[in-house]
């Protein structure tokens, strides 16, 4: 029994319980919450360092023999995603979440946030398909609680939408998991992989059920045309929680797609990769068009979440080990950048008094805010010396190398539209004269600590991406034989 | 934006001394202290990317140009924006730009080049939008960014394709491509990649149809226009083309494209020059024409064209930058750049007038200026190869307009009787503003008279562009004066008739309507409208429609794979099947009731019937414990929900759903039904069930296997479900507290 493999679930679960118990003592609750977040990050970093050396942290719960036990197995892929999740968690806990709406101040936020992290931790650790479904459910309920916390009509409307569409995804996923168990004879990733035909010739039934599972996961990852729920639900949240949602929730879906395609059912999913590529392309394009259209900063960023998910799915759909590595690089980059941009949107709101570009202006007179926005924005566009450049470059390069020129060209063009959207934000919010002379206001220095830390991470990965690329290459050895 | 209102802000010391940085680099380059050679460090080995630098003749020429003009610009800027609080920001951006340009021309690895290339695009955006309170400046900055950003994307795509054909290609490999990467030139990937690189270069050098951003960029302060948008950044595009020229020299499409694009741009921009009245925009269009000429020269396949290219590159920077300073000084003094109002400025600005005359002479290609050297080299380059007629015609037309523009910028603005209606700036123009234009113009003239110091440098640079054996040094001496004479005479005529030609050309409104400037506007408008349509269509906000779209799209996605899987064969019926059938009938009836019922209670009962039917199915399917659980849950749910509904009086009558949603519902149901049939058809592997059955009592000490599965074999799932319950409680807490009825719907 390896304790390390259980910690990403147990630590946030324990933190959530403690935070719940400390509801009426805000200072103590905040302290516990921060300690819990820091421990999560610390554990994840230790796991990354361990897996970089080739270790896999594995435990069979209850010590039942494989494949009868639920197996937790943290490999390089899981560890990397746990680490960026931990970084985002700590950053958003560190951002003082006052001001935007009642939700941010509620003492129920920390228990729900850590409860959600337990789901995230479980999903990135487990090597069991049904157990993965359970953690999805944990995330769904915690997310639903966070959305409904605002209690106003708009929050409840958003919660209802989120619930209905995600519950539908959950039902589909449950059916697919049951079906895959029926066809493959196991729930353990490795045993199931063998049952589904491994690397050889899978049955048509296996392919059909993998398609059903992918459908559920595509809804979870907000891919086109299943992603309509996301921009409808997100903007009612306060930005720190929005950062958590945008950074992590859809990415867990994309992660599960990667596990399924690369590890559990490489052969069975082969016929699905071509349509998956087109879904990914449509996701990229429609997402960025939504961002180009909207004027509310939260909506703009929400649509970019969809667009970026498209890049990750596109990489997965190429189906080679290098492409899986590119998908991981893109996911790591995207979690860091997108969560940060939402945190910064909160700072923009504090300084400029609004999320709406039409009511913003003159923020360039706040150099720290301008700089901390410019770095992740440049990374989202994919300018050199940011993590986004390497993430996009590897995806486009692999598209070209695989002869998928249409996908590569589309990926480049979506980068151009991202440039348009970010230039719009910059020109409207930062350059234009403020419509209201009371703004922009000063933002306390402490509010910048977390955002600058995340910005520094994306810059560091941009200046010297080699360690991440090498690590991703190692982590992408997922299939039964390691690679294809 | 030149005159400053309000209190003057003292200029920081570093801003005053910033010009020393490019001056130092210029000294190092001029003294020949920059050795030729290559240098590289590993950067991203897994992508075969190095941080590689290289210095050769062309690099040196570009470095001299960047640092030389940079010295003048950095010296000039503190005078131009004296007392303006924004001056330090301008200088900081200019210094960053200077460094990016230096990086771009010393880069050897294409990705190192791209890094600096994109940096110049971003800095250009920030500098064009420098006067950010001005809407025109913001729009111009966006235009410049989007066009050069698009070019950057093309460049990225192009470099990727080129490196697929020639892995790890360095720019220095392009002089001996066949040796370094055998077969690359025969690959269509390579040609496709180079075509994209060409588009990237054309956007940067403002070539047709990507040129429209450059005249707009004139909203930037004058030092920026002089430095970025005439002398250096816009040269980066032709610089990159020059780097690819040795490798592509034998390829026909390369010549034809560069000749055609360059010639058309030059003519188009020359015509536009004659339609402008703003001095800076006149200079901007003539810059576009000059860049077209440079592109055209690269399209000529000859050693002499390399000499002509480098000579013109240098000459243009040395006369156009001073002319921009002149325009800035005139604007600063008179408060206008409209040539209709400007005349006789030589009294007020004697030094600027002198600089204008000297630079104008060089631009016109008058004998004894560096301009004539360039023009002569061009003339002879064209004589020595067989070229299309339009190339010669273009170059004559462009030369004629250049002469006329030079005359307008000098004679018209500075001579004749002064215009007394013009305001005069209260701030005298000191050394900072007078010296840089004079100095650059004098250098241009001196080098024309005595070009021994630069002969070596120019020929070395030319050899980088066109490495074909030995070149003769005498090539730099003017030999053919007929073309020059023709240009001067034609230009004089055009200058004489300037206003008439201007009015005539101004009438061609069609030129604005079909021009790429309006193309850009239209594309932008189309993008906004299209994005709006797509987004509003997908984001209608109706929950039922989201679900329906999801169900239909899901069916389209998964059904093609489900129908390929085998279905179970029909077997003989047994007694238990009657119970199963009864359960199924109950489920169907419940579902039907839930759809048909108009009030909520009816729907709830329908849903309850579905649950009841499922329990019957479980009972006859061999899982009595699950059946009893299901029955209990279903009963409790219906009772609780009915009580809640009675208490809150939810509006019963909801409008009936549109008919097409029935299709969506059937599709989703069919999808799941088909999926379960497919699963039943597959042979089941019972090893898990067998193991759980066998290990339950002896190892896990429990008689009820289901319980043991829940609390031991799969206890971790149960932990997760407990977490779910806990979180449901937490989530429900705020909804239960002081509920005012607002939350009833959720």
């Amino acid at each position: 029994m390896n304790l390390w493999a259980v910690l990403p679930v147990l630590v946030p679960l324990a933190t959530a319980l403690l935070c719940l118990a400390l509801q009426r003592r805000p200072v103590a609750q905040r302290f516990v919450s921060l300690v819990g977040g820091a421990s999560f990050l610390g554990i994840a970093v230790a796991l990354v360092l361990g897996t970089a050396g080739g270790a896999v942290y594995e435990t069979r719960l209850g010590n039942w023999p494989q494949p009868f036990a639920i197996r937790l197995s943290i490999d390089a892929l899981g560890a990397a995603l746990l680490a960026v999740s931990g970084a985002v968690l700590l950053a958003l806990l560190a951002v003082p979440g006052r001001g935007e709406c009642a939700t941010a101040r509620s003492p129920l936020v920390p228990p729900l946030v850590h409860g959600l992290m337990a789901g995230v931790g479980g999903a990135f650790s487990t090597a069991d398909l049904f157990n993965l479904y359970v953690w999805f459910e944990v995330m769904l309920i915690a997310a639903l609680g966070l959305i409904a916390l605002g209690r106003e009509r708009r929050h409840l409307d958003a919660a209802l939408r989120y619930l209905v569409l995600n519950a539908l995804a959950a039902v589909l996923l449950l059916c697919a998991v049951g079906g895959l168990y029926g066809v493959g004879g196991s729930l353990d990733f490795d045993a199931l992989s063998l049952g589904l035909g491994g690397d050889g010739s899978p049955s048509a039934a296996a392919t059909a059920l993998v398609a059903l599972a992918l459908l559920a996961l595509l809804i979870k990852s907000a891919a086109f045309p299943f992603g309509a729920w996301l921009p409808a639900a997100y903007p009612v949240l306060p930005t720190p929680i929005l950062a958590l949602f945008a950074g992590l929730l859809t990415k867990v879906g994309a992660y599960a797609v990667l596990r399924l395609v690369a590890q559990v059912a490489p052969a069975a999913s082969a016929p699905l990769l071509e349509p998956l590529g087109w879904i990914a392309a449509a996701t990229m394009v429609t997402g960025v068009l939504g961002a180009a259209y909207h004027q509310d900063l939260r909506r703009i960023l929400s649509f970019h979440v969809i667009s970026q998910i498209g890049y990750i799915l596109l990489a997965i759909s190429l189906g080679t080990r290098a492409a899986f590595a590119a998908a991981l690089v893109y996911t790591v980059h995207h979690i860091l950048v997108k969560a940060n941009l939402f945190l910064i949107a909160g700072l923009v709101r504090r300084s400029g008094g609004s999320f709406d570009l039409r009511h913003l202006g003159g923020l360039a007179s706040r150099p720290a805010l301008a700089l901390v926005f410019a770095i992740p924005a440049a990374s989202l566009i994919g300018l050199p010396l940011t993590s986004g450049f390497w993430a996009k470059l590897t995806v486009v390069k692999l598209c070209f190398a695989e002869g998928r020129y249409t996908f590569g060209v589309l990926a480049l063009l979506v980068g151009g539209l991202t440039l348009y959207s970010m230039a719009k934000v910059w020109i409207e919010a930062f350059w234009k004269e403020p419509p209201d002379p009371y703004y922009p206001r000063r933002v306390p220095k402490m509010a910048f600590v977390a955002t600058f830390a995340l910005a520094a991470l994306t810059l560091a990965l941009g200046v010297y991406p080699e360690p991440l690329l090498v690590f991703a290459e190692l982590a992408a050895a997922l299939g039964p034989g390691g690679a294809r | 934006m030149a005159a400053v209102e309000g209190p003057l802000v003292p200029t920081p010391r570093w801003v005053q001394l910033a010009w020393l940085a490019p001056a130092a680099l210029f000294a190092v380059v001029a003294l020949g202290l920059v050795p030729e050679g290559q240098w590289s460090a590993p950067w991203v080995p897994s992508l075969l990317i190095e941080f590689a630098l290289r210095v050769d003749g062309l690099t040196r020429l570009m470095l001299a140009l960047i640092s030389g003009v940079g010295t003048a610009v950095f010296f000039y800027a503190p005078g131009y924006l004296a007392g303006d609080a924004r001056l330090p920001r301008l200088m900081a951006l200019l210094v960053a730009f200077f460094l990016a340009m230096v990086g771009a021309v010393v880069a050897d690895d294409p990705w190192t080049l791209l890094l600096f290339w994109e940096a110049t695009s971003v800095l250009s955006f920030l500098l064009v939008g420098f006067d950010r309170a001005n809407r025109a400046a913001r729009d111009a900055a966006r235009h410049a960014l989007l066009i050069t950003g698009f070019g950057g994307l093309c460049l990225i795509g192009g470099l990727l394709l080129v490196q697929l054909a020639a892995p790890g290609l360095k720019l220095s490999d392009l002089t001996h491509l066949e040796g370094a990467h055998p077969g690359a030139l025969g690959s269509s990937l390579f040609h496709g990649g180079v075509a994209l690189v060409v588009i990237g270069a054309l956007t940067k050098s403002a070539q047709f149809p990507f040129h429209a951003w450059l005249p707009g960029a004139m909203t930037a302060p004058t030092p920026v226009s002089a430095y970025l948008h005439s002398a250096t950044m816009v040269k980066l595009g032709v610089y990159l083309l020059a780097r690819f020229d040795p490798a592509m020299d034998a390829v026909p499409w390369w010549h034809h494209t560069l000749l055609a694009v360059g010639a058309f741009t030059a003519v188009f921009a020359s015509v536009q020059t004659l339609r402008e009245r703003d001095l800076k925009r006149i200079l901007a269009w003539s810059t576009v024409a000059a860049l077209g000429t440079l592109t055209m020269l690269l399209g000529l396949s000859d050693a002499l064209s390399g000499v002509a290219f480098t000579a013109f590159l240098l000459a243009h920077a040395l006369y156009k930058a001073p002319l921009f300073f002149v325009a800035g000084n005139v604007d600063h003094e008179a408060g206008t750049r409209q040539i209709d109002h400007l005349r006789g400025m030589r009294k007020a600005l004697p030094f600027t007038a002198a600089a204008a005359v000297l630079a104008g002479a060089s631009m016109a290609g008058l004998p004894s200026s560096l301009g004539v050297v360039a023009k002569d080299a061009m003339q002879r380059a064209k004589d020595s190869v067989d070229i299309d007629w339009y190339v010669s015609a273009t170059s004559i037309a462009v030369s004629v307009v250049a002469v006329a523009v030079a005359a307008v910028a000098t004679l018209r603005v500075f001579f004749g009787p002064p215009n007394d209606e013009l305001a005069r700036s209260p701030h005298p123009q000191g050394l900072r503003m007078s010296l840089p234009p004079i100095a650059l113009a004098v250098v241009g003239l001196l080098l024309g008279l005595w070009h021994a110091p630069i002969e070596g440098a120019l020929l070395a640079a030319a050899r980088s562009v066109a490495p074909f054996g030995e070149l003769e040094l005498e090539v730099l001496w003017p030999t053919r004066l007929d073309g020059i004479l023709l240009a001067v005479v034609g230009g004089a005529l055009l200058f004489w008739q300037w206003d008439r030609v201007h009015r005539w050309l101004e009438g061609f409104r069609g030129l604005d309507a079909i021009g790429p400037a309006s193309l850009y506007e239209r594309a932008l408008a189309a993008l906004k409208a299209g994005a709006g349509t797509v987004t509003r269509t997908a984001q209608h906000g109706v929950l039922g429609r989201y679900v329906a779209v999801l169900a239909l799209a899901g069916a389209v996605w998964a059904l093609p794979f489900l129908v390929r899987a085998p279905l179970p064969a029909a077997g003989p019926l047994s007694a238990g099947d009657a119970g199963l059938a009864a359960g199924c009938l109950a489920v169907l009836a419940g579902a039907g009731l839930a759809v048909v019922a108009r009030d909520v209670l009816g729907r709830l009962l329908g849903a309850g019937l579905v649950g009841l039917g499922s329990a019957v199915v479980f009972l006859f399917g061999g899982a009595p414990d699950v059946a009893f659980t299901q029955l209990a849950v279903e009963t409790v749910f219906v009772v609780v929900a009915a009580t809640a509904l009675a208490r809150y009086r939810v509006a019963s009558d909801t409008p009936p759903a549109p008919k097409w949603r029935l299709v969506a519902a059937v599709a989703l149901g069919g999808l799941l039904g088909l999926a379960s049939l497919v699963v039943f058809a597959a042979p089941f592997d019972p090893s898990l069930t067998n193991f759980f059955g066998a290990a339950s009592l002896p190892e896990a000490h429990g008689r009820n296997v289901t319980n043991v599965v829940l609390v031991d074999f799969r206890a971790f799932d149960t932990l997760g479900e407990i977490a779910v319950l806990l979180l449901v409680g937490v989530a429900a807490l705020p909804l239960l507290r002081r509920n005012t009825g607002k939350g009833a719907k959720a």
Side-chain angles (χ1 to χ4, degrees):
Chain A
M1 175 109 179
N2 189 327
L3 187 66
W4 281 102
V6 199
L7 287 179
V9 177
L10 291 190
V11 167
L13 215 50
T15 314
L17 284 173
L18 272 175
C19 287
L20 194 58
L22 292 170
Q23 258 192 83
R24 296 186 197 290
R25 303 182 56 192
V27 179
Q29 192 194 45
R30 187 164 161 73
F31 176 74
V32 167
S33 172
L34 275 171
V35 169
S39 324
F40 190 93
L41 178 61
I43 292 160
V45 168
L47 288 169
V48 165
L49 294 178
T51 51
V56 173
Y57 296 89
E58 197 162 82
T59 190
R60 282 172 287 109
L61 291 160
N63 268 337
W64 296 105
Q66 188 160 4
F68 307 111
I70 291 176
R71 187 165 56 96
L72 299 182
S73 168
I74 301 179
D75 56 6
L77 173 62
L81 292 173
L82 283 170
V84 276
S85 309
V88 166
L89 172 69
L90 195 59
L92 76 95
L93 291 177
V95 168
R98 295 181 290 113
E100 274 176 46
C101 67
T103 310
R105 279 192 307 272
S106 163
L108 293 177
V109 167
L112 286 170
V113 164
H114 287 283
L116 194 149
M117 285 310 289
V120 171
F124 288 148
S125 320
T126 190
D128 184 283
L129 203 54
F130 182 78
N131 196 237
L132 180 66
Y133 163 79
V134 170
W135 298 120
F136 267 118
E137 224 179 300
V138 171
M139 282 183 278
L140 166 63
I141 292 299
L144 195 63
L146 285 167
I147 295 176
L149 215 49
R151 298 189 23 189
E152 286 167 31
R153 174 81 190 231
R154 61 198 174 99
H155 296 113
L156 298 177
D157 274 353
L160 182 65
R161 274 178 206 171
Y162 190 86
L163 174 67
V164 169
L165 298 168
N166 276 282
L168 190 60
V171 168
L172 287 170
L173 185 60
L174 188 57
C175 293
V177 168
L180 284 169
Y181 170 58
V183 173
S186 181
L187 290 164
D188 184 273
F189 283 173
D190 288 347
L192 183 59
S193 174
L194 288 177
L196 291 176
D199 246 1
S201 54
S203 65
T207 300
L209 287 158
V210 171
L212 195 63
L214 279 182
L215 172 61
L217 296 175
L218 288 177
I219 299 172
K220 287 272 176 200
S221 5
F224 179 85
F226 315 115
W229 56 271
L230 189 141
Y234 276 16
V236 301
L237 290 162
T239 47
I241 296 171
L242 199 44
L244 184 70
F245 276 50
L248 298 186
L249 288 185
T250 53
K251 259 56 72 181
V252 184
Y255 159 85
V257 172
L258 178 58
R259 278 278 180 219
L260 193 61
V261 166
Q263 180 177 358
V264 177
S269 59
L272 301 164
L273 294 182
E274 171 82 28
L276 182 64
W278 287 107
I279 285 185
T283 308
M284 285 194 304
V285 173
T286 51
V288 84
L289 284 179
Y293 166 68
H294 274 289
Q295 295 288 332
D296 183 303
L297 200 48
R298 291 167 303 180
R299 281 187 202 275
I300 293 173
L301 294 175
S302 296
F303 275 100
H304 279 303
V305 172
I306 298 185
S307 165
Q308 307 291 306
I309 279 288
Y311 280 93
I312 298 170
L313 293 175
L314 181 62
I316 297 174
S317 81
L318 294 174
T320 62
R321 175 172 167 179
F324 299 149
L328 172 60
V329 170
Y330 208 107
T331 310
V332 167
H333 143 72
H334 178 45
I335 291 177
L336 288 176
V337 165
K338 189 39 65 64
N340 201 13
L341 277 171
F342 274 108
L343 292 177
I344 293 160
L347 299 182
V348 164
R349 155 77 175 58
R350 276 177 83 168
S351 180
S354 174
F355 287 112
D356 194 320
L357 295 182
R358 287 163 293 199
H359 302 148
L360 285 167
L363 294 177
S365 60
R366 299 271 166 246
L369 186 61
L371 182 65
V372 82
F373 172 79
I375 294 170
S379 193
L380 189 75
I381 298 164
L383 291 179
L385 289 192
T386 64
S387 56
F389 176 72
W390 304 107
K392 282 198 173 144
L393 187 73
T394 43
V395 171
V396 177
K397 181 182 180 176
L398 289 166
C399 285
F400 284 165
E402 296 290 314
R404 310 310 304 262
Y405 301 111
T406 317
F407 289 158
V409 169
L410 276 177
L412 282 173
L413 282 180
V414 169
L417 290 172
T418 310
L419 173 71
Y420 168 80
S421 148
M422 287 293 116
K424 176 177 76 180
V425 174
W426 179 262
I427 288 172
E428 296 295 319
F430 286 83
W431 272 359
K432 177 182 80 191
E433 294 283 284
D436 183 342
Y438 289 105
Y439 295 105
R441 291 183 181 158
R442 191 172 293 281
V443 178
K445 284 202 181 63
M446 276 311 289
F448 285 114
V449 173
T451 46
F452 265 113
L454 288 179
L457 268 177
T458 182
L459 272 185
L461 291 176
V463 172
Y464 192 53
E466 187 66 10
L468 176 63
L469 295 177
V470 170
F471 186 86
E473 185 68 22
L474 170 85
L478 291 169
R484 274 195 290 153
Chain B
M1 70 172 300
V4 182
E5 306 292 328
L8 296 187
V9 180
T11 310
R13 177 61 59 88
W14 74 267
V15 172
Q16 290 176 7
L17 296 181
W19 63 275
L20 287 172
L25 177 65
F26 183 75
V28 171
V29 175
L31 292 173
L33 296 177
V34 182
E36 296 206 356
Q38 286 163 278
W39 178 87
S40 74
W43 186 11
V44 194
S46 42
L47 297 175
L48 290 180
I49 292 175
E50 289 185 328
F51 189 82
L53 308 178
R54 173 271 309 266
V55 174
D56 67 353
L58 185 57
T59 302
R60 275 199 185 137
L61 179 72
M62 291 296 289
L63 281 178
L65 213 147
I66 293 160
S67 58
V69 179
T71 308
V73 168
F74 287 19
F75 190 79
Y76 178 87
Y80 183 76
L81 275 190
D84 193 319
R86 301 171 303 174
L87 177 60
R89 181 156 62 87
L90 180 74
M91 281 308 287
L93 289 170
L94 282 174
V95 169
F97 174 79
F98 163 69
L99 295 174
M101 271 311 290
V102 169
V105 296
V106 298
D108 191 16
D109 189 283
W111 301 103
T112 312
L113 170 75
L114 183 89
L115 163 67
F116 293 113
W117 176 288
E118 301 280 42
T120 62
S121 291
V122 171
L123 288 164
S124 164
F125 167 71
L126 295 174
L127 284 165
V128 173
F130 182 76
D131 189 13
R132 57 200 182 203
N134 175 2
R135 194 193 167 109
R138 296 198 300 267
D139 287 344
R142 185 207 314 262
H143 192 171
L145 180 71
L146 290 182
I147 299 296
T148 51
F150 170 76
L153 293 173
C154 291
L155 186 57
I156 292 175
L159 292 176
L160 282 174
L161 289 178
V162 164
Q163 289 205 333
L164 274 181
L169 173 118
K170 298 266 184 296
L171 293 178
S172 52
D173 295 346
L174 289 165
T175 52
H176 53 281
L177 185 65
E178 208 43 47
H181 301 276
L185 208 54
S187 134
S188 56
L189 278 182
F190 188 83
H191 287 273
V194 173
L196 284 174
V197 169
V198 169
I199 294 178
L202 294 183
T203 60
K204 199 76 164 178
S205 282
Q207 296 296 287
F208 191 90
F210 310 112
H211 62 273
W213 66 268
L214 186 56
M218 292 301 122
T219 48
T222 294
V224 174
S225 308
Y227 198 31
L228 274 71
H229 303 124
S230 92
T232 57
M233 186 187 87
V234 289
K235 302 270 169 65
L236 208 49
V238 284
Y239 165 81
L240 184 62
L241 293 178
R243 286 297 180 205
F244 274 84
D245 194 45
M248 298 299 290
D249 196 63
V251 179
W253 72 260
W254 172 265
H255 296 295
H256 295 310
T257 309
L258 295 193
L259 281 178
V261 171
F264 187 78
T265 307
V267 171
F268 183 84
S270 295
V271 172
Q272 293 284 16
T273 311
L274 299 175
R275 301 178 75 220
E276 291 287 351
R277 306 222 139 228
D278 178 317
L279 193 53
K280 256 179 108 179
R281 285 180 67 93
I282 292 176
L283 293 176
W285 280 116
S286 98
T287 303
V288 175
L291 292 164
T293 307
L294 284 169
T295 307
M296 199 167 75
L297 284 172
L298 287 172
L300 293 176
S301 168
D302 180 57
L304 277 168
S305 68
V307 177
F309 174 81
T310 49
F312 189 51
L313 195 70
L314 183 62
H316 177 256
L318 285 179
Y319 70 70
K320 197 52 76 56
L323 286 178
F324 269 106
F325 289 138
V326 166
N329 288 357
V330 167
D331 189 14
H332 195 273
E333 178 69 17
T336 180
R337 302 190 305 238
Q338 297 295 318
I339 56 171
D340 296 327
H341 306 300
L342 293 169
R343 55 181 185 268
M345 296 290 290
R346 76 178 185 284
K347 293 258 167 54
L349 300 169
F351 292 104
T352 306
V357 170
L358 295 177
S362 193
M363 180 175 182
L366 295 186
S368 85
S369 68
L370 189 56
V372 77
V373 178
K375 288 211 169 152
D376 182 57
M378 274 186 242
Q379 188 74 42
R380 299 205 308 159
K382 283 170 206 151
D383 288 348
S384 66
V385 285
D386 204 18
I387 50 165
D388 296 322
W389 61 268
Y390 71 87
V391 176
S392 312
T394 300
S395 72
I396 290 170
V398 171
S399 304
V400 167
V401 174
V403 170
V405 168
V408 165
T410 55
L411 303 180
R412 183 176 177 127
V413 171
F414 287 97
F415 294 89
N419 183 353
D420 296 326
E421 291 163 22
L422 285 179
R424 299 228 14 213
S425 164
H427 309 293
Q429 295 183 358
L431 189 67
R432 288 266 179 191
M433 292 179 72
S434 318
L435 185 59
I438 284 266
L440 285 182
V442 166
V443 169
L445 198 73
L446 282 182
L447 291 179
L449 288 172
W450 184 57
H451 29 68
I454 53 159
E455 264 181 16
L458 278 186
L459 288 181
R463 242 176 256 122
S464 313
V465 182
F468 319 91
E470 284 305 302
L471 292 167
E472 299 162 40
L473 283 180
E474 307 89 276
V475 104
L476 284 171
W477 292 104
T479 51
R480 297 257 322 253
L481 288 170
D482 49 349
I484 293 164
L485 204 62
L486 183 65
V488 170
V489 172
L493 279 173
L494 189 58
F495 173 61
W496 179 44
Q497 293 292 330
W498 178 277
D499 285 302
R500 189 170 293 174
V501 173
H502 178 87
R503 270 194 300 279
W504 182 64
L505 283 172
E506 225 175 14
F508 286 90
R509 292 280 165 224
L511 228 50
D512 301 320
I514 58 154
S518 77
L519 214 69
Y520 163 80
E521 294 293 338
R522 275 190 224 167
L524 213 58
L527 169 66
K528 281 181 191 161
T533 311
V534 169
T535 308
R536 279 189 305 267
T537 312
Q539 300 293 314
H540 36 74
V542 184
L543 181 56
R545 219 191 290 171
Y546 284 135
V547 175
V549 167
L550 210 142
L552 282 175
V556 171
W557 156 262
L559 274 180
F561 300 101
L562 278 169
V563 295
R564 265 178 242 167
L567 295 178
L573 290 175
S574 67
D577 289 339
L580 279 179
C584 289
L585 278 178
V587 168
L588 280 176
L593 180 60
V595 171
V596 176
R598 294 294 303 273
D599 70 85
V600 177
L601 204 59
R603 289 179 185 174
L604 184 64
L605 287 176
L609 195 55
V610 171
L612 191 69
S614 318
V616 174
V617 170
F618 288 140
L619 189 64
F620 287 93
D625 46 350
V626 181
F628 289 128
T629 315
Q630 169 80 22
L631 201 59
V633 169
E634 208 60 52
T635 314
V636 170
F637 171 74
V638 171
V639 169
V640 169
T643 317
L645 286 176
R647 197 172 152 195
Y648 286 103
R649 296 176 183 281
V650 177
S652 275
D653 276 329
T654 43
K659 295 266 187 302
W660 65 272
R661 288 202 195 154
L662 187 65
V663 182
V666 170
L668 190 63
L671 189 70
L672 291 179
L674 201 57
S676 34
L677 284 179
V678 165
V679 175
F680 279 121
F684 182 68
D685 172 5
S687 57
L688 249 67
T689 332
N690 293 345
F691 174 82
F692 290 149
S696 184
L697 188 58
E699 289 183 53
H701 312 293
R703 283 178 198 285
N704 184 328
V705 181
T706 312
N707 283 350
V708 175
V709 167
L710 287 179
V711 302
D712 195 336
F713 295 123
R714 297 198 65 91
F716 201 54
D717 288 339
T718 312
L719 177 73
E721 294 298 342
I722 291 170
V724 170
L725 273 184
L726 178 83
L727 291 170
V728 167
V730 175
L733 266 183
L735 295 178
L736 296 174
R737 254 184 231 155
R738 283 189 294 115
N739 205 330
T740 52
K742 269 198 286 186
K745 257 195 132 175

